[in-house]
Each structure stands twice: as structure tokens, then as C-alpha cells.
Amino acid sequence: MPVHREREKKESVADEMEVEEQEHEASTSDEEESDTSSVSEDGDTSGEETQELYRERLSQVNCKLAAVEAGRAAEYLDPLAVLLENMQVRTKVAGKFD
């Protein structure tokens, strides 16, 4: 895969994460304003629980991003294998028509 496409993909993933974070912050601030006095059965406030879930999801996304950058993620390797196979077929066909 060309370097510029990898860079674009990394940038788009980073942009998506930033948008998700901004959306979450907006929704969290709305929830915190309306739910600051509500307490769940186990003593946690809903805002704290939401924050914990957000941190967990962010950690998962960061791990997946690291795996993609390292070239170990199946989400990356499977499409890459298909692209490489298509490239080889097209190269062979192009060689026969020369």
C-alpha cells in the first residue's frame, strides 16, 4: 500500500476518533447537567459510569489503531491480501497483452 494512502487512512481514523470524542463530550456534558443528582443502585452516578464506558471504548479503539499501524489487524490484512491478489492478476493480464 502506498505511503500516502496509509497516512490518509491514519489521518481519517484520527479524525473519526476526534469527532467521536467531541460528540461524546457534548452528550456527556448534557447528561451530566441533567443527571448529576441521579445515583444508580451500586452508588455510581450515571455520568461516572458513562465516563468509564467511554474510556474503555477509547482504549479499545487505540489498541485496534496500534494493531493496524503495526500491520497485525485482520481488518487491515484481509483487504490488503485481496488487493495484492488483484494486483498480481492484473499484472499478469497486462503482461500478456504487451
Side-chain angles (χ1 to χ4, degrees):
M1 182 176 251
V3 174
H4 69 281
R5 287 196 180 179
E6 286 182 30
R7 191 174 305 136
E8 289 173 0
K9 189 168 187 166
K10 287 179 188 177
E11 289 173 357
S12 87
V13 170
D15 291 342
E16 288 174 14
M17 287 175 48
E18 185 176 334
V19 168
E20 287 178 8
E21 185 175 335
Q22 289 172 351
E23 289 173 351
H24 182 270
E25 287 175 358
S27 68
T28 301
S29 65
D30 292 342
E31 289 174 6
E32 287 175 356
E33 289 175 8
S34 64
D35 293 338
T36 41
S37 63
S38 68
V39 177
S40 64
E41 292 176 8
D42 61 355
D44 273 345
T45 63
S46 62
E48 290 173 359
E49 186 176 323
T50 303
Q51 186 69 20
E52 182 64 32
L53 292 173
Y54 171 73
R55 286 183 183 145
E56 183 178 338
R57 178 66 178 138
L58 184 61
S59 174
Q60 292 171 349
V61 169
N62 285 335
C63 288
K64 223 172 231 192
L65 178 61
V68 169
E69 288 174 342
R72 296 174 299 175
E75 295 90 354
Y76 168 77
L77 294 175
D78 293 341
L80 180 62
V82 171
L83 288 173
L84 290 174
E85 184 179 343
N86 289 342
M87 181 186 71
Q88 290 173 349
V89 168
R90 290 179 181 194
T91 303
K92 286 179 185 177
V93 169
K96 296 204 180 213
F97 285 118
D98 279 341

